[in-house]
Amino acid sequence: MKAVPPAGVFITFEGGEGAGKSTQVARLARHLRERSGREVVSTREPGGSARAEEIREALLAGLAKPYGPFAEALLFTAARIDHLDRLIRPALRRGEIVLCDRFADSTRAYQGAAGGLDARTVRALERVAVGETRPDLTLILDLPPEAGLARARARAGEGAPDRFEAEALGFHARLRAGFRAIAEAEPDRCALIDAAHEPDAVEAEIRAVVEARLPSLFRNATESRHDAA
């Protein structure tokens, strides 16, 4: 009889500009591959599939900005639907761990809390796109917007800031408040991570949260090693 794969695990990373999400996604992916014995898929939003990556280019270039936050939210939603259908849901059905740099909470925070789009509209779009595919754990990397923007500028070097990095400080302050409000409203799903520390310290905090919130990832791997012995 063919073995039934374990349930997939969906972990998302959220936070403002320069919070270090991409770095921490890569570090956690490496840790989980070593410790869980599971396949790990790292992806991002907007993006993660060919069509969604095309939409990403348009969004970060600011092509939708003149049409307002609702138009941007629609494009993010279109990219998310394709991403879910082509990458995230198939990986979860195979029992893999999916790590995603941004997901639906970014639409709540960027177009909603910071951009002024009505929360009911954001929730309606989320219901259509996401359905039952909710993260098992969301890690919200939190730091003052001034620090995050300084990191983003240093990372970009001489390059021009993207659509969202170029926003005024007030936008980024609202963005941070929006993410913190999400963490407060959904503590069972979300963990607020202090991203102001050095990457090694942030990584250690993330590992501790993942091991406390999702112990079965590591317990199953330990049991498999014991059985093999």
Side-chain angles (χ1 to χ4, degrees), residues 90-218:
L92 293 175
R93 285 195 294 267
R94 293 191 298 266
E96 298 172 3
I97 301 169
V98 177
L99 306 183
C100 192
D101 181 347
R102 298 201 181 284
F103 193 59
D105 291 314
S106 279
T107 304
R108 295 185 192 181
Y110 276 81
Q111 284 69 52
L117 185 61
D118 181 74
R120 290 171 297 183
T121 301
V122 175
R123 295 283 188 174
L125 291 173
E126 186 175 317
R127 284 195 299 272
V128 170
V130 175
E132 299 300 317
T133 313
R134 304 284 172 174
D136 297 288
L137 174 64
T138 296
L139 301 160
I140 298 179
L141 276 60
D142 176 64
L143 79 166
E146 298 89 343
L149 290 171
R151 288 182 183 178
R153 285 193 295 270
R155 179 185 63 207
E158 298 299 320
D162 69 26
R163 149 76 181 95
F164 298 104
E165 292 169 353
E167 285 285 352
L169 185 60
F171 176 94
H172 293 281
R174 295 192 300 276
L175 181 65
R176 184 191 189 192
F179 278 124
R180 292 175 70 92
I182 292 168
E184 183 176 354
E186 300 186 50
D188 291 340
R189 174 175 67 87
C190 300
L192 198 66
I193 305 294
D194 186 349
H197 297 302
E198 292 299 314
D200 287 351
V202 177
E203 180 184 8
E205 184 178 354
I206 287 172
R207 285 188 183 187
V209 169
V210 173
E211 291 180 11
R213 298 284 189 101
L214 299 169
S216 64
L217 289 181
F218 308 96

Side-chain angles (χ1 to χ4, degrees), residues 48 59-60 64 108 115 213 227:
L59 284 164
L60 296 189
R108 295 185 192 181
R213 298 284 189 101
D227 291 343

Side-chain angles (χ1 to χ4, degrees), residues 9-63:
V9 177
F10 188 21
I11 302 174
T12 56
F13 286 69
E14 298 285 2
E17 303 301 320
K21 298 181 310 304
S22 299
T23 296
Q24 296 303 330
V25 167
R27 290 184 176 214
L28 183 61
R30 183 168 57 248
H31 177 65
L32 289 174
R33 288 188 184 105
E34 293 171 354
R35 288 287 312 281
S36 73
R38 305 268 291 271
E39 292 292 327
V40 180
V41 175
S42 299
T43 187
R44 66 179 183 177
E45 287 208 348
S49 64
R51 292 173 183 172
E53 289 290 339
E54 292 175 359
I55 296 174
R56 176 189 180 89
E57 290 184 13
L59 284 164
L60 296 189
L63 298 182

